[in-house]
């Protein structure tokens, strides 16, 4: 797509890259977000991003949090790509807030009775 997709070796010709970008635009494709190494192929002297993931705007609307993950190469000089698709952003589960007893509650005349009633109820579940 661009010279930034290559490190080392002779520069790529501009005309083929421009033709490829036009083709992707004519098809309505947009580059997917990637995670991991920028480069998907390498030899001793050159690294290049030869492999990419593309999507349409409609696909992006359906799956707004998808991405391409560049995995580490194993036997090959190419890095495999993993396409991760999520319909919605995964939310972190909020931990329950800890109960804190406030010293000022002792000043309330009903405080002792409320505590006694609470301790009088049978416990269900984990005692901790």
């Amino acid at each position: 797509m661009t010279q930034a997709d290559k490190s080392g070796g002779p520069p790529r010709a501009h005309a083929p890259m421009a033709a490829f970008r036009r083709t992707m635009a004519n098809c309505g494709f947009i580059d997917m977000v990637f995670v991991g190494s920028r480069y998907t192929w390498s030899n001793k002297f050159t690294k290049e991003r030869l492999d990419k993931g593309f999507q349409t705007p409609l696909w992006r609307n359906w799956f707004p949090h998808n991405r391409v993950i560049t995995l580490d190469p194993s036997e090959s000089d190419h890095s495999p790509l993993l396409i991760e698709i999520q319909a919605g952003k995964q939310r972190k589960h909020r931990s329950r807030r800890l109960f804190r007893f406030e010293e000022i509650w002792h000043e309330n005349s009903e405080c002792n009775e409320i505590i006694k009633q609470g301790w009088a109820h049978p416990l269900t579940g984990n005692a901790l």
Side-chain angles (χ1 to χ4, degrees), residues 14-34:
H14 290 281
M17 287 189 297
F20 183 69
R21 286 192 302 268
R22 276 193 307 276
T23 301
M24 295 298 102
N26 289 342
C27 292
F29 292 149
I30 52 177
D31 206 352
M32 291 177 70
V33 172
F34 74 89

Side-chain angles (χ1 to χ4, degrees), residues 16-71:
M17 287 189 297
F20 183 69
R21 286 192 302 268
R22 276 193 307 276
T23 301
M24 295 298 102
N26 289 342
C27 292
F29 292 149
I30 52 177
D31 206 352
M32 291 177 70
V33 172
F34 74 89
V35 177
S37 174
R38 173 176 200 84
Y39 306 109
T40 61
W41 175 87
S42 66
N43 65 17
K44 285 184 183 180
F45 313 104
T46 308
K47 296 178 183 177
E48 294 190 58
R49 182 161 195 86
L50 297 179
D51 309 291
K52 290 181 168 276
F54 290 94
Q55 61 192 344
T56 63
L58 180 59
W59 178 268
R60 183 70 175 177
N61 286 339
W62 285 343
F63 304 103
H65 304 287
N66 59 27
R67 61 189 183 165
V68 176
I69 302 170
T70 306
L71 303 176

